[in-house]
Amino acid sequence: MKQPVAATPELREKAEWDTILSACTGALGDVTLTDSAVIILFAAMMGAGDMFSMLTTAIMPFMNGVFLIPMAIVATKVGVHRLIVWACSISALGYFLIVATPFFGSWGVTIMITTLTLFAILHTGYVACWFPILDSILTPERRGAYLSKMRFLWQLSSVTFLFAVGKMLPKEPALWQLQLALLAAAIIFSGRAFFLSRVPVFIQEKKEAFGFHDGLVTALGNKALTAYSSYLFLLNLAAFGTIPLSVLFLKNHLKAPDNIIVMISAVTFGGMLLGSLLAGRIIKKLGIKMTLIAIHATFWLTNSCLFFIGKGNNVTYALITFLMLLYCFTYAAANVATTSEMMAMATPGNKTMAMAVCGSFSSIGGGLSRVITSVILGAGILAPEWHIKGIKFCHYQTLFLIYAVCILFAAMLLVIVPAVVPKGKYAYGRE
């Protein structure tokens, strides 16, 4: 077990870069298994239908929500540094097993879903410890700049990887070729545990002052935090399904080639690069209130435009690429804004539990968005096609329309967000 050391400026800077490198290497696992086209195409090629293909992208965010608070409890018992290294190391082994699932024949899809679930549970150990570790490293004035730089660099690494995969894959790749792409991601993903193991444990001036029960009660009693957490749940419930659904839409309805889909996935992640890079400036110029309103407007606009796309050709592929680029830009800006506010709202002395509660609300909302979508697709609840004045719409377009309506509903709940409509005296925990 590492002994705590004094946090000198030099050690803080080194720790910042180690965490950034861990984020860059680990992002390939998170992105490839949740938001990229690779896992969806991989699952589909193994025989998974729309339901299970969509479900592969839902497991990680949903499990994050369910297990984040229990993992936060474990973190308070064994220490955040020890838990995060062990969780990432075992997750890396699980990643390699996911790559090997085609070798299990008819059991492949079942083993893949099971391993993804275990991977996702272990991933919550990483999430539960990540922000408390950052909080121990970053001074308040460094938060915004660090978060923007860190998100920009890990997204750059993800975009570069996905773009390279898309360039190397043929128009109709074989299963083994997608396996090789995932294997490369698994090898790089192993770097997350290595770089996190190099982060020192700093002596904390403000130690966690609450146990589990008191910490949970304190976190839930923080009105600013709970209101914000409830809002994030509803926003993610409405908006988190669009990215993977667009991949299924491209593949199954618009009949786009697989390599083009991976390329589109890579290009659209460029939106996250821009969003992370510019988020700080946008928030500084517009303020949190107007930034959140703009986020809703953009989410609604992109889903509404996707609803009206009915045919697949070079023009519509380019349009979808632009729309998803815009969507990912907005998604990244939203992440920077919500993370910065979450860290500020957490009560001093109760950072781990407060961030776990907020993260649970947010992740469960995102996970449920994709779980519900996968159930709808698998159950065949929606009509395969329907018409308005001779214009044909498919069930994927129907889901985009539902997302757009739900995003408008979530916008009505901005009134409960303290940054938008302050009410009373809230404990923001600002140093």
Side-chain angles (χ1 to χ4, degrees), residues 59 63 67 98 112-122:
I59 293 172
M63 290 299 171
F67 285 93
I98 292 170
M112 179 175 63
I113 297 295
T114 302
T115 308
L116 274 171
T117 302
L118 295 174
F119 180 94
I121 293 172
L122 287 167

Side-chain angles (χ1 to χ4, degrees), residues 168-205:
M168 289 187 290
L169 288 177
K171 185 175 181 180
E172 296 181 1
L175 180 59
W176 67 268
Q177 291 172 311
L178 290 173
Q179 254 185 305
L180 282 179
L182 286 174
L183 177 60
I187 293 171
I188 298 171
F189 174 79
S190 302
R192 172 180 276 177
F194 170 75
F195 288 112
L196 285 173
S197 68
R198 290 157 39 117
V199 176
V201 179
F202 290 130
I203 298 172
Q204 296 297 300
E205 296 179 3

Side-chain angles (χ1 to χ4, degrees), residues 33 42 88-104 111 115 119 179-180 182-191:
L33 297 182
F42 184 69
C88 292
S89 299
I90 300 172
S91 293
L93 296 177
Y95 205 129
F96 285 105
L97 181 57
I98 292 170
V99 176
T101 49
F103 299 129
F104 292 93
I111 292 174
T115 308
F119 180 94
Q179 254 185 305
L180 282 179
L182 286 174
L183 177 60
I187 293 171
I188 298 171
F189 174 79
S190 302

Side-chain angles (χ1 to χ4, degrees), residues 47 64 81 90 110 113 184 255 275 278 312 347 349:
N64 276 348
H81 285 75
I90 300 172
T110 301
I113 297 295
K255 305 301 180 184
L278 300 176
T347 305

Side-chain angles (χ1 to χ4, degrees), residues 246-263:
S246 66
V247 174
L248 293 175
F249 182 51
L250 280 163
K251 179 175 178 60
N252 297 332
H253 184 72
L254 301 183
K255 305 301 180 184
D258 288 353
N259 62 333
I260 296 298
I261 295 174
V262 175
M263 291 285 285

Side-chain angles (χ1 to χ4, degrees), residues 26 82 110 140 189 194 275 304 315 343 352 365 370 373 396 409 428:
R82 179 182 294 181
T110 301
F189 174 79
F194 170 75
S304 298
V315 174
M343 293 178 72
T352 301
R370 297 181 179 185
T373 300
Y396 298 112
F409 175 77
Y428 276 84

Side-chain angles (χ1 to χ4, degrees), residues 20-31:
I20 287 173
L21 289 171
S22 76
C24 290
T25 53
L28 295 185
D30 298 344
V31 169

